[in-house]
Amino acid sequence: MSYDEGTTAAWWIAIFGLFAIWLGIVLLLSLAFYVVNAFALMSLFRKVGVAPWIGWVPYYNSWTVLELGGQAGPLALLSLVPYGSYAVLVFLAIAHHRTGIAFRKSTGWVVLAIFLPFVWAFLLGRAEEVYQPELITAAGYPPPKVGFGAPPPAPASSPTAPA
């Protein structure tokens, strides 16, 4: 069997072409998921009294979902640490559960939120859904830190004038 440079080059071009096609498909699917998820979060955030544009900002939208469930928002930054995203997923599941309480949803909705978060957000953002953040505190959890039902911000302390 003889070595043919043309055949070898053709194989490498074919492999590179297949890889480029695969990469393009992955990038398009990722972009599509990002856009659909952003629109879903916009509808949810609008419903709960949070600025809808936050749905488009990576990490900040997870931060806001955590705060919507009464969690500490900076936990979203754990995704930047190796294996930290597993912890973020646990805290997001807890936040989804608490947010579901405010919408009078069963714990089965947490499973939907884990596997199809954009469907969960779209369904909760519908016009017929009623958001009652007081149900979260009635269930014994801390209130949301953003949106409707969040405690008002502490007033800025001003220096006292000398008497």
Side-chain angles (χ1 to χ4, degrees):
M1 182 180 240
S2 66
Y3 176 74
D4 183 13
E5 287 185 19
T7 305
T8 304
W11 275 106
W12 279 111
I13 291 171
I15 290 171
F16 178 75
L18 288 174
F19 177 74
I21 291 170
W22 173 80
L23 186 62
I25 291 171
V26 168
L27 288 175
L28 282 175
L29 287 175
S30 298
L31 180 65
F33 178 77
Y34 172 76
V35 169
V36 169
N37 195 47
F39 277 116
L41 287 173
M42 280 179 62
S43 69
L44 174 65
F45 289 164
R46 190 174 293 118
K47 177 69 127 189
V48 299
V50 174
W53 62 266
I54 295 173
W56 290 92
V57 183
Y59 298 106
Y60 190 38
N61 55 20
S62 296
W63 182 305
T64 305
V65 170
L66 286 168
E67 287 187 340
L68 196 57
Q71 304 280 337
L75 289 171
L77 298 178
L78 284 175
S79 295
L80 300 172
V81 177
Y83 304 108
S85 56
Y86 296 118
V88 174
L89 288 174
V90 171
F91 287 111
L92 277 172
I94 294 168
H96 291 144
H97 170 68
R98 293 178 182 177
T99 303
I101 289 172
F103 282 98
R104 294 186 181 271
K105 300 297 179 191
S106 66
T107 54
W109 280 66
V110 177
V111 177
L112 179 65
I114 291 170
F115 291 107
L116 295 171
F118 55 92
V119 174
W120 175 83
F122 268 131
L123 291 175
L124 291 182
R126 293 179 301 175
E128 57 267 12
E129 296 295 336
V130 177
Y131 179 63
Q132 299 171 307
E134 63 275 2
L135 294 176
I136 298 174
T137 54
Y141 300 116
K145 296 182 180 193
V146 294
F148 302 129
S157 59
S158 61
T160 56

